[in-house]
């Protein structure tokens, strides 16, 4: 295998941006493309239980303590990654799950910037590559992610942001307050992206064709595109049907899910997002797009899928769900 110029030395790819900018979809896609090109690549969803960096900033926690704890994780990760051949892909780790959390906790801007600059120094020997996904219209981007995830999720999201110290101090309320916060956050992350000293690319992700954006990123990385192995329509059609959750009820949303075949691909409705593509992974196993979880279909005696287990990496209990086909 001949390694490409950028991935020859880089062991860390950072993907970041505001919610709904396409981070998870891009990170998963990039990990698959690297693997298909013979690389060892590991993508971590932003809140996986075994995530090497993710640290939750508890309400009322001292921001200095959070910064020191998170920096310690970065140092530990950087030591391990430096001795490994694996290309690690981290989404949300440099901006969303740290800068955003510190801003919400009313941390000083200088403290936030100093933290990001410290991370850059810690991982410098890994030759990091930063992919920054942004959308020119912040309000439109937030409306779209709320539409995809539903009204219950939107209510949770608005409450999650507008009850934090920064939002209260700025009197940010309702959906308008959510938009106002992310405009402020976007301004800060734009500055930090400009200051980050590494190979980097910014990609605007509003509307349009994601295939063009993905090819742009692959070209930037000098990684050849390799498509999915085509699956017979008769095989894919065997999974089509209605499935009902019988174990692991969702935090919000419905317990009834449709699997449909559209334009040669399977999609599941109202399980992860309102509509999620299923990516073939193994016999009777599909990865859920933008998720670190898989759908594992278990056939009955006739070979027809009757029971589905949500497996893969852990993410807050979602992986423990069990569905059965409705008759």
């Amino acid at each position: 295998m001949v390694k490409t110029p950028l991935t020859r030395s880089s062991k860390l790819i950072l993907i970041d941006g505001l919610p709904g900018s396409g981070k998870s979809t891009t990170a998963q896609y990039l990990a698959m493309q690297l693997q298909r090109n013979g690389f060892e690549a590991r993508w971590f969803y932003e809140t996986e239980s075994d995530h090497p960096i993710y640290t939750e900033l508890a309400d009322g926690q001292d921001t200095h303590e959070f910064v020191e704890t998170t920096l310690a994780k970065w140092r530990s990760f950087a030591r391990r990654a430096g001795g490994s051949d694996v290309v690690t892909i981290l989404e949300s780790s440099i901006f969303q799950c740290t800068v955003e959390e510190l801003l919400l906790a009313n941390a000083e801007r200088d403290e936030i910037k100093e933290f990001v600059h410290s991370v850059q120094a810690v991982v410098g020997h890994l030759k990091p590559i930063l992919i920054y996904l942004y959308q020119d219209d912040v309000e439109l981007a937030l409306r779209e992610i709320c539409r995809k995830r539903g009204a219950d999720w939107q209510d949770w999201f608005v409450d999650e942001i507008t009850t934090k110290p920064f939002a209260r101090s700025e009197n940010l309320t309702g959906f308008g307050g959510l938009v106002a916060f992310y405009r402020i956050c976007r301004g800060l992350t734009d500055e930090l992206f400009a200051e980050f000293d590494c190979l980097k690319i910014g990609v605007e992700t509003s509307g349009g064709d994601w295939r063009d954006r993905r090819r742009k990123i692959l070209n930037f990385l000098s990684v050849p595109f390799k498509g999915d192995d085509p699956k017979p329509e008769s095989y894919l059609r065997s999974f089509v049907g209605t499935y009902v959750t019988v174990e692991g009820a969702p935090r919000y949303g419905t317990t009834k899910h449709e699997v449909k075949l559209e334009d040669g691909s399977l999609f599941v409705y109202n399980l992860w997002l309102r509509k999620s593509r299923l990516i073939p992974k193994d016999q009777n196993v599909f990865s859920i797009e933008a998720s670190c979880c898989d759908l594992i279909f278990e056939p009955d005696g006739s070979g027809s899928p009757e029971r589905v287990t949500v497996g893969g990496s852990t993410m807050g209990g979602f992986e423990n769900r069990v569905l059965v086909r409705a008759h």
Side-chain angles (χ1 to χ4, degrees), residues 37-76:
N37 277 278
F39 292 92
E40 289 186 76
R42 173 66 162 95
W43 160 53
F44 286 93
Y45 181 75
E46 62 187 69
T47 57
E48 277 191 61
S49 61
D50 58 348
H51 197 288
I53 304 301
Y54 177 72
T55 306
E56 186 174 1
L57 177 57
D59 289 342
Q61 181 182 2
D62 180 76
T63 57
H64 300 291
E65 177 187 356
F66 172 80
V67 164
E68 288 307 313
T69 299
T70 307
L71 279 176
K73 289 190 173 185
W74 276 110
R75 294 186 189 103
S76 178

mmCIF file of all heavy atoms in Angstrom, residues 37-76:
data_model
loop_
_atom_site.group_PDB
_atom_site.id
_atom_site.type_symbol
_atom_site.label_atom_id
_atom_site.label_comp_id
_atom_site.label_asym_id
_atom_site.label_seq_id
_atom_site.Cartn_x
_atom_site.Cartn_y
_atom_site.Cartn_z
ATOM 1 N N ASN A 37 -9.049 2.205 1.650
ATOM 2 C CA ASN A 37 -7.772 2.451 1.005
ATOM 3 C C ASN A 37 -6.605 1.814 1.769
ATOM 4 O O ASN A 37 -5.445 2.110 1.471
ATOM 5 C CB ASN A 37 -7.540 3.955 0.858
ATOM 6 C CG ASN A 37 -8.223 4.534 -0.366
ATOM 7 O OD1 ASN A 37 -7.701 4.445 -1.473
ATOM 8 N ND2 ASN A 37 -9.412 5.106 -0.173
ATOM 9 N N GLY A 38 -6.927 0.945 2.724
ATOM 10 C CA GLY A 38 -5.890 0.183 3.393
ATOM 11 C C GLY A 38 -5.319 0.782 4.656
ATOM 12 O O GLY A 38 -4.359 0.253 5.223
ATOM 13 N N PHE A 39 -5.890 1.871 5.143
ATOM 14 C CA PHE A 39 -5.407 2.495 6.372
ATOM 15 C C PHE A 39 -6.101 1.902 7.597
ATOM 16 O O PHE A 39 -7.256 1.467 7.526
ATOM 17 C CB PHE A 39 -5.686 3.997 6.358
ATOM 18 C CG PHE A 39 -4.889 4.771 5.357
ATOM 19 C CD1 PHE A 39 -5.389 5.000 4.084
ATOM 20 C CD2 PHE A 39 -3.636 5.258 5.672
ATOM 21 C CE1 PHE A 39 -4.663 5.707 3.154
ATOM 22 C CE2 PHE A 39 -2.904 5.973 4.745
ATOM 23 C CZ PHE A 39 -3.417 6.191 3.479
ATOM 24 N N GLU A 40 -5.405 1.933 8.706
ATOM 25 C CA GLU A 40 -6.067 1.702 9.990
ATOM 26 C C GLU A 40 -6.648 3.041 10.425
ATOM 27 O O GLU A 40 -5.904 4.005 10.646
ATOM 28 C CB GLU A 40 -5.073 1.208 11.038
ATOM 29 C CG GLU A 40 -4.567 -0.197 10.828
ATOM 30 C CD GLU A 40 -3.696 -0.640 11.996
ATOM 31 O OE1 GLU A 40 -4.248 -0.956 13.068
ATOM 32 O OE2 GLU A 40 -2.466 -0.655 11.827
ATOM 33 N N ALA A 41 -7.952 3.123 10.530
ATOM 34 C CA ALA A 41 -8.604 4.381 10.886
ATOM 35 C C ALA A 41 -9.663 4.108 11.941
ATOM 36 O O ALA A 41 -10.400 3.126 11.854
ATOM 37 C CB ALA A 41 -9.234 5.038 9.663
ATOM 38 N N ARG A 42 -9.745 4.959 12.928
ATOM 39 C CA ARG A 42 -10.728 4.832 14.005
ATOM 40 C C ARG A 42 -11.429 6.160 14.192
ATOM 41 O O ARG A 42 -10.819 7.171 14.518
ATOM 42 C CB ARG A 42 -10.044 4.407 15.301
ATOM 43 C CG ARG A 42 -10.955 4.407 16.548
ATOM 44 C CD ARG A 42 -12.056 3.358 16.454
ATOM 45 N NE ARG A 42 -12.648 3.061 17.739
ATOM 46 C CZ ARG A 42 -13.758 3.633 18.232
ATOM 47 N NH1 ARG A 42 -14.397 4.572 17.541
ATOM 48 N NH2 ARG A 42 -14.227 3.265 19.419
ATOM 49 N N TRP A 43 -12.758 6.164 13.937
ATOM 50 C CA TRP A 43 -13.581 7.335 14.186
ATOM 51 C C TRP A 43 -14.254 7.197 15.543
ATOM 52 O O TRP A 43 -14.812 6.151 15.872
ATOM 53 C CB TRP A 43 -14.636 7.466 13.084
ATOM 54 C CG TRP A 43 -15.820 8.327 13.448
ATOM 55 C CD1 TRP A 43 -15.791 9.607 13.920
ATOM 56 C CD2 TRP A 43 -17.209 7.967 13.378
ATOM 57 N NE1 TRP A 43 -17.067 10.073 14.141
ATOM 58 C CE2 TRP A 43 -17.954 9.084 13.823
ATOM 59 C CE3 TRP A 43 -17.882 6.809 12.979
ATOM 60 C CZ2 TRP A 43 -19.345 9.072 13.873
ATOM 61 C CZ3 TRP A 43 -19.266 6.805 13.036
ATOM 62 C CH2 TRP A 43 -19.988 7.925 13.469
ATOM 63 N N PHE A 44 -14.221 8.276 16.327
ATOM 64 C CA PHE A 44 -14.937 8.326 17.595
ATOM 65 C C PHE A 44 -16.106 9.300 17.469
ATOM 66 O O PHE A 44 -15.897 10.491 17.201
ATOM 67 C CB PHE A 44 -14.029 8.787 18.739
ATOM 68 C CG PHE A 44 -13.039 7.752 19.192
ATOM 69 C CD1 PHE A 44 -11.763 7.716 18.655
ATOM 70 C CD2 PHE A 44 -13.382 6.813 20.166
ATOM 71 C CE1 PHE A 44 -10.842 6.764 19.069
ATOM 72 C CE2 PHE A 44 -12.473 5.865 20.588
ATOM 73 C CZ PHE A 44 -11.198 5.838 20.043
ATOM 74 N N TYR A 45 -17.325 8.775 17.655
ATOM 75 C CA TYR A 45 -18.486 9.655 17.748
ATOM 76 C C TYR A 45 -18.303 10.559 18.968
ATOM 77 O O TYR A 45 -17.686 10.164 19.962
ATOM 78 C CB TYR A 45 -19.762 8.827 17.866
ATOM 79 C CG TYR A 45 -21.024 9.651 17.936
ATOM 80 C CD1 TYR A 45 -21.533 10.256 16.798
ATOM 81 C CD2 TYR A 45 -21.675 9.837 19.143
ATOM 82 C CE1 TYR A 45 -22.686 11.021 16.847
ATOM 83 C CE2 TYR A 45 -22.833 10.606 19.210
ATOM 84 C CZ TYR A 45 -23.332 11.196 18.066
ATOM 85 O OH TYR A 45 -24.467 11.969 18.141
ATOM 86 N N GLU A 46 -18.864 11.758 18.929
ATOM 87 C CA GLU A 46 -18.508 12.793 19.906
ATOM 88 C C GLU A 46 -18.725 12.400 21.365
ATOM 89 O O GLU A 46 -17.987 12.868 22.238
ATOM 90 C CB GLU A 46 -19.261 14.089 19.617
ATOM 91 C CG GLU A 46 -20.772 13.981 19.702
ATOM 92 C CD GLU A 46 -21.446 15.262 19.233
ATOM 93 O OE1 GLU A 46 -21.402 15.568 18.033
ATOM 94 O OE2 GLU A 46 -22.017 15.956 20.089
ATOM 95 N N THR A 47 -19.710 11.548 21.665
ATOM 96 C CA THR A 47 -19.962 11.193 23.070
ATOM 97 C C THR A 47 -19.879 9.683 23.321
ATOM 98 O O THR A 47 -20.523 9.179 24.247
ATOM 99 C CB THR A 47 -21.338 11.715 23.528
ATOM 100 O OG1 THR A 47 -22.355 11.178 22.671
ATOM 101 C CG2 THR A 47 -21.391 13.232 23.486
ATOM 102 N N GLU A 48 -19.103 8.967 22.519
ATOM 103 C CA GLU A 48 -18.926 7.533 22.789
ATOM 104 C C GLU A 48 -18.371 7.335 24.200
ATOM 105 O O GLU A 48 -17.565 8.130 24.683
ATOM 106 C CB GLU A 48 -17.950 6.924 21.784
ATOM 107 C CG GLU A 48 -18.565 6.545 20.463
ATOM 108 C CD GLU A 48 -17.634 5.709 19.614
ATOM 109 O OE1 GLU A 48 -17.258 4.610 20.051
ATOM 110 O OE2 GLU A 48 -17.275 6.163 18.510
ATOM 111 N N SER A 49 -18.771 6.233 24.831
ATOM 112 C CA SER A 49 -18.359 6.013 26.214
ATOM 113 C C SER A 49 -16.857 5.816 26.351
ATOM 114 O O SER A 49 -16.277 6.125 27.398
ATOM 115 C CB SER A 49 -19.096 4.798 26.795
ATOM 116 O OG SER A 49 -18.777 3.638 26.067
ATOM 117 N N ASP A 50 -16.187 5.308 25.306
ATOM 118 C CA ASP A 50 -14.739 5.101 25.379
ATOM 119 C C ASP A 50 -13.976 6.194 24.625
ATOM 120 O O ASP A 50 -12.829 5.996 24.231
ATOM 121 C CB ASP A 50 -14.361 3.721 24.846
ATOM 122 C CG ASP A 50 -14.806 3.503 23.400
ATOM 123 O OD1 ASP A 50 -15.601 4.314 22.895
ATOM 124 O OD2 ASP A 50 -14.365 2.513 22.793
ATOM 125 N N HIS A 51 -14.621 7.337 24.454
ATOM 126 C CA HIS A 51 -13.988 8.451 23.757
ATOM 127 C C HIS A 51 -12.737 8.893 24.512
ATOM 128 O O HIS A 51 -12.772 9.053 25.733
ATOM 129 C CB HIS A 51 -14.971 9.618 23.643
ATOM 130 C CG HIS A 51 -14.595 10.647 22.636
ATOM 131 N ND1 HIS A 51 -13.556 11.527 22.825
ATOM 132 C CD2 HIS A 51 -15.115 10.928 21.408
ATOM 133 C CE1 HIS A 51 -13.457 12.320 21.763
ATOM 134 N NE2 HIS A 51 -14.380 11.972 20.897
ATOM 135 N N PRO A 52 -11.619 9.106 23.819
ATOM 136 C CA PRO A 52 -10.376 9.444 24.526
ATOM 137 C C PRO A 52 -10.330 10.861 25.079
ATOM 138 O O PRO A 52 -9.506 11.157 25.948
ATOM 139 C CB PRO A 52 -9.295 9.260 23.450
ATOM 140 C CG PRO A 52 -10.017 9.495 22.159
ATOM 141 C CD PRO A 52 -11.402 8.946 22.368
ATOM 142 N N ILE A 53 -11.212 11.750 24.601
ATOM 143 C CA ILE A 53 -11.142 13.159 24.984
ATOM 144 C C ILE A 53 -12.391 13.647 25.697
ATOM 145 O O ILE A 53 -12.305 14.436 26.650
ATOM 146 C CB ILE A 53 -10.913 14.056 23.735
ATOM 147 C CG1 ILE A 53 -9.652 13.621 22.990
ATOM 148 C CG2 ILE A 53 -10.818 15.526 24.144
ATOM 149 C CD1 ILE A 53 -8.389 13.664 23.813
ATOM 150 N N TYR A 54 -13.560 13.196 25.286
ATOM 151 C CA TYR A 54 -14.814 13.799 25.738
ATOM 152 C C TYR A 54 -14.904 13.847 27.262
ATOM 153 O O TYR A 54 -14.704 12.842 27.961
ATOM 154 C CB TYR A 54 -16.015 13.030 25.191
ATOM 155 C CG TYR A 54 -17.347 13.576 25.683
ATOM 156 C CD1 TYR A 54 -17.826 14.794 25.214
ATOM 157 C CD2 TYR A 54 -18.086 12.874 26.624
ATOM 158 C CE1 TYR A 54 -19.029 15.299 25.667
ATOM 159 C CE2 TYR A 54 -19.292 13.377 27.081
ATOM 160 C CZ TYR A 54 -19.762 14.592 26.604
ATOM 161 O OH TYR A 54 -20.955 15.094 27.070
ATOM 162 N N THR A 55 -15.192 15.034 27.772
ATOM 163 C CA THR A 55 -15.396 15.263 29.199
ATOM 164 C C THR A 55 -16.609 16.157 29.349
ATOM 165 O O THR A 55 -16.685 17.210 28.718
ATOM 166 C CB THR A 55 -14.181 15.960 29.834
ATOM 167 O OG1 THR A 55 -13.001 15.219 29.561
ATOM 168 C CG2 THR A 55 -14.354 16.089 31.340
ATOM 169 N N GLU A 56 -17.553 15.748 30.152
ATOM 170 C CA GLU A 56 -18.754 16.558 30.340
ATOM 171 C C GLU A 56 -18.489 17.650 31.369
ATOM 172 O O GLU A 56 -17.955 17.390 32.448
ATOM 173 C CB GLU A 56 -19.915 15.684 30.799
ATOM 174 C CG GLU A 56 -21.232 16.439 30.871
ATOM 175 C CD GLU A 56 -22.414 15.537 31.193
ATOM 176 O OE1 GLU A 56 -22.193 14.317 31.371
ATOM 177 O OE2 GLU A 56 -23.545 16.044 31.255
ATOM 178 N N LEU A 57 -18.831 18.871 31.026
ATOM 179 C CA LEU A 57 -18.721 19.996 31.956
ATOM 180 C C LEU A 57 -19.999 20.060 32.774
ATOM 181 O O LEU A 57 -21.059 20.425 32.264
ATOM 182 C CB LEU A 57 -18.492 21.304 31.190
ATOM 183 C CG LEU A 57 -18.434 22.593 32.009
ATOM 184 C CD1 LEU A 57 -17.343 22.508 33.071
ATOM 185 C CD2 LEU A 57 -18.197 23.794 31.095
ATOM 186 N N ALA A 58 -19.911 19.676 34.030
ATOM 187 C CA ALA A 58 -21.089 19.625 34.892
ATOM 188 C C ALA A 58 -21.546 21.034 35.260
ATOM 189 O O ALA A 58 -20.735 21.972 35.322
ATOM 190 C CB ALA A 58 -20.777 18.824 36.154
ATOM 191 N N ASP A 59 -22.848 21.180 35.499
ATOM 192 C CA ASP A 59 -23.384 22.475 35.926
ATOM 193 C C ASP A 59 -22.669 22.925 37.196
ATOM 194 O O ASP A 59 -22.580 22.175 38.175
ATOM 195 C CB ASP A 59 -24.882 22.365 36.184
ATOM 196 C CG ASP A 59 -25.683 22.188 34.902
ATOM 197 O OD1 ASP A 59 -25.141 22.488 33.829
ATOM 198 O OD2 ASP A 59 -26.839 21.723 34.984
ATOM 199 N N GLY A 60 -22.157 24.133 37.171
ATOM 200 C CA GLY A 60 -21.489 24.683 38.334
ATOM 201 C C GLY A 60 -20.033 24.284 38.485
ATOM 202 O O GLY A 60 -19.348 24.783 39.384
ATOM 203 N N GLN A 61 -19.538 23.408 37.622
ATOM 204 C CA GLN A 61 -18.143 22.980 37.723
ATOM 205 C C GLN A 61 -17.212 24.136 37.377
ATOM 206 O O GLN A 61 -17.481 24.934 36.472
ATOM 207 C CB GLN A 61 -17.864 21.810 36.780
ATOM 208 C CG GLN A 61 -16.436 21.286 36.845
ATOM 209 C CD GLN A 61 -16.188 20.163 35.853
ATOM 210 O OE1 GLN A 61 -17.064 19.784 35.086
ATOM 211 N NE2 GLN A 61 -14.973 19.623 35.874
ATOM 212 N N ASP A 62 -16.104 24.225 38.077
ATOM 213 C CA ASP A 62 -15.113 25.241 37.810
ATOM 214 C C ASP A 62 -14.511 25.025 36.421
ATOM 215 O O ASP A 62 -14.076 23.914 36.088
ATOM 216 C CB ASP A 62 -14.007 25.185 38.869
ATOM 217 C CG ASP A 62 -12.953 26.238 38.638
ATOM 218 O OD1 ASP A 62 -13.211 27.413 38.926
ATOM 219 O OD2 ASP A 62 -11.861 25.872 38.146
ATOM 220 N N THR A 63 -14.502 26.055 35.591
ATOM 221 C CA THR A 63 -14.020 25.893 34.223
ATOM 222 C C THR A 63 -12.527 25.579 34.176
ATOM 223 O O THR A 63 -12.069 24.880 33.272
ATOM 224 C CB THR A 63 -14.316 27.147 33.387
ATOM 225 O OG1 THR A 63 -13.730 28.295 34.014
ATOM 226 C CG2 THR A 63 -15.812 27.352 33.242
ATOM 227 N N HIS A 64 -11.765 26.087 35.128
ATOM 228 C CA HIS A 64 -10.320 25.778 35.162
ATOM 229 C C HIS A 64 -10.108 24.286 35.395
ATOM 230 O O HIS A 64 -9.221 23.668 34.797
ATOM 231 C CB HIS A 64 -9.624 26.591 36.251
ATOM 232 C CG HIS A 64 -9.748 28.082 36.068
ATOM 233 N ND1 HIS A 64 -9.123 28.754 35.043
ATOM 234 C CD2 HIS A 64 -10.441 29.020 36.767
ATOM 235 C CE1 HIS A 64 -9.410 30.056 35.121
ATOM 236 N NE2 HIS A 64 -10.215 30.222 36.161
ATOM 237 N N GLU A 65 -10.912 23.707 36.263
ATOM 238 C CA GLU A 65 -10.826 22.259 36.529
ATOM 239 C C GLU A 65 -11.165 21.469 35.264
ATOM 240 O O GLU A 65 -10.489 20.491 34.929
ATOM 241 C CB GLU A 65 -11.789 21.880 37.655
ATOM 242 C CG GLU A 65 -11.824 20.391 37.962
ATOM 243 C CD GLU A 65 -12.908 20.028 38.965
ATOM 244 O OE1 GLU A 65 -13.591 20.954 39.472
ATOM 245 O OE2 GLU A 65 -13.090 18.823 39.211
ATOM 246 N N PHE A 66 -12.218 21.897 34.555
ATOM 247 C CA PHE A 66 -12.599 21.240 33.303
ATOM 248 C C PHE A 66 -11.469 21.319 32.286
ATOM 249 O O PHE A 66 -11.141 20.327 31.617
ATOM 250 C CB PHE A 66 -13.864 21.901 32.741
ATOM 251 C CG PHE A 66 -14.249 21.435 31.364
ATOM 252 C CD1 PHE A 66 -14.924 20.243 31.181
ATOM 253 C CD2 PHE A 66 -13.941 22.198 30.246
ATOM 254 C CE1 PHE A 66 -15.290 19.806 29.904
ATOM 255 C CE2 PHE A 66 -14.303 21.779 28.969
ATOM 256 C CZ PHE A 66 -14.976 20.577 28.799
ATOM 257 N N VAL A 67 -10.849 22.472 32.157
ATOM 258 C CA VAL A 67 -9.750 22.654 31.204
ATOM 259 C C VAL A 67 -8.593 21.734 31.542
ATOM 260 O O VAL A 67 -8.031 21.056 30.664
ATOM 261 C CB VAL A 67 -9.289 24.129 31.187
ATOM 262 C CG1 VAL A 67 -7.921 24.266 30.521
ATOM 263 C CG2 VAL A 67 -10.311 25.002 30.461
ATOM 264 N N GLU A 68 -8.205 21.663 32.813
ATOM 265 C CA GLU A 68 -7.076 20.819 33.205
ATOM 266 C C GLU A 68 -7.384 19.342 32.991
ATOM 267 O O GLU A 68 -6.529 18.575 32.532
ATOM 268 C CB GLU A 68 -6.710 21.088 34.661
ATOM 269 C CG GLU A 68 -6.047 22.438 34.895
ATOM 270 C CD GLU A 68 -4.846 22.649 33.992
ATOM 271 O OE1 GLU A 68 -3.999 21.725 33.891
ATOM 272 O OE2 GLU A 68 -4.757 23.723 33.365
ATOM 273 N N THR A 69 -8.606 18.932 33.312
ATOM 274 C CA THR A 69 -9.001 17.532 33.105
ATOM 275 C C THR A 69 -8.963 17.174 31.625
ATOM 276 O O THR A 69 -8.457 16.117 31.231
ATOM 277 C CB THR A 69 -10.410 17.283 33.661
ATOM 278 O OG1 THR A 69 -10.423 17.548 35.067
ATOM 279 C CG2 THR A 69 -10.850 15.844 33.422
ATOM 280 N N THR A 70 -9.496 18.068 30.787
ATOM 281 C CA THR A 70 -9.535 17.806 29.348
ATOM 282 C C THR A 70 -8.138 17.823 28.747
ATOM 283 O O THR A 70 -7.802 16.980 27.904
ATOM 284 C CB THR A 70 -10.434 18.834 28.641
ATOM 285 O OG1 THR A 70 -11.714 18.867 29.281
ATOM 286 C CG2 THR A 70 -10.628 18.473 27.180
ATOM 287 N N LEU A 71 -7.296 18.754 29.170
ATOM 288 C CA LEU A 71 -5.918 18.795 28.667
ATOM 289 C C LEU A 71 -5.151 17.532 29.045
ATOM 290 O O LEU A 71 -4.347 17.019 28.253
ATOM 291 C CB LEU A 71 -5.196 20.027 29.204
ATOM 292 C CG LEU A 71 -5.459 21.342 28.473
ATOM 293 C CD1 LEU A 71 -4.753 22.487 29.177
ATOM 294 C CD2 LEU A 71 -4.999 21.259 27.017
ATOM 295 N N ALA A 72 -5.418 17.010 30.244
ATOM 296 C CA ALA A 72 -4.763 15.767 30.659
ATOM 297 C C ALA A 72 -5.157 14.624 29.731
ATOM 298 O O ALA A 72 -4.325 13.767 29.380
ATOM 299 C CB ALA A 72 -5.123 15.440 32.106
ATOM 300 N N LYS A 73 -6.429 14.600 29.312
ATOM 301 C CA LYS A 73 -6.875 13.568 28.370
ATOM 302 C C LYS A 73 -6.204 13.739 27.012
ATOM 303 O O LYS A 73 -5.824 12.756 26.369
ATOM 304 C CB LYS A 73 -8.397 13.604 28.228
ATOM 305 C CG LYS A 73 -9.134 13.095 29.455
ATOM 306 C CD LYS A 73 -10.617 12.920 29.170
ATOM 307 C CE LYS A 73 -11.330 12.249 30.326
ATOM 308 N NZ LYS A 73 -12.743 11.966 30.026
ATOM 309 N N TRP A 74 -6.057 14.975 26.566
ATOM 310 C CA TRP A 74 -5.371 15.227 25.296
ATOM 311 C C TRP A 74 -3.921 14.747 25.370
ATOM 312 O O TRP A 74 -3.416 14.148 24.416
ATOM 313 C CB TRP A 74 -5.412 16.716 24.951
ATOM 314 C CG TRP A 74 -6.659 17.172 24.253
ATOM 315 C CD1 TRP A 74 -7.647 17.959 24.764
ATOM 316 C CD2 TRP A 74 -7.046 16.881 22.903
ATOM 317 N NE1 TRP A 74 -8.626 18.170 23.831
ATOM 318 C CE2 TRP A 74 -8.287 17.520 22.681
ATOM 319 C CE3 TRP A 74 -6.470 16.138 21.875
ATOM 320 C CZ2 TRP A 74 -8.962 17.445 21.464
ATOM 321 C CZ3 TRP A 74 -7.142 16.059 20.653
ATOM 322 C CH2 TRP A 74 -8.365 16.704 20.455
ATOM 323 N N ARG A 75 -3.250 15.004 26.483
ATOM 324 C CA ARG A 75 -1.851 14.570 26.619
ATOM 325 C C ARG A 75 -1.749 13.052 26.591
ATOM 326 O O ARG A 75 -0.862 12.495 25.942
ATOM 327 C CB ARG A 75 -1.261 15.133 27.913
ATOM 328 C CG ARG A 75 -1.136 16.653 27.947
ATOM 329 C CD ARG A 75 -0.405 17.124 29.191
ATOM 330 N NE ARG A 75 -0.490 18.571 29.310
ATOM 331 C CZ ARG A 75 -1.307 19.211 30.141
ATOM 332 N NH1 ARG A 75 -2.123 18.527 30.939
ATOM 333 N NH2 ARG A 75 -1.317 20.532 30.193
ATOM 334 N N SER A 76 -2.652 12.388 27.302
ATOM 335 C CA SER A 76 -2.644 10.928 27.324
ATOM 336 C C SER A 76 -2.915 10.358 25.940
ATOM 337 O O SER A 76 -2.236 9.422 25.487
ATOM 338 C CB SER A 76 -3.693 10.423 28.322
ATOM 339 O OG SER A 76 -3.741 9.018 28.344
#
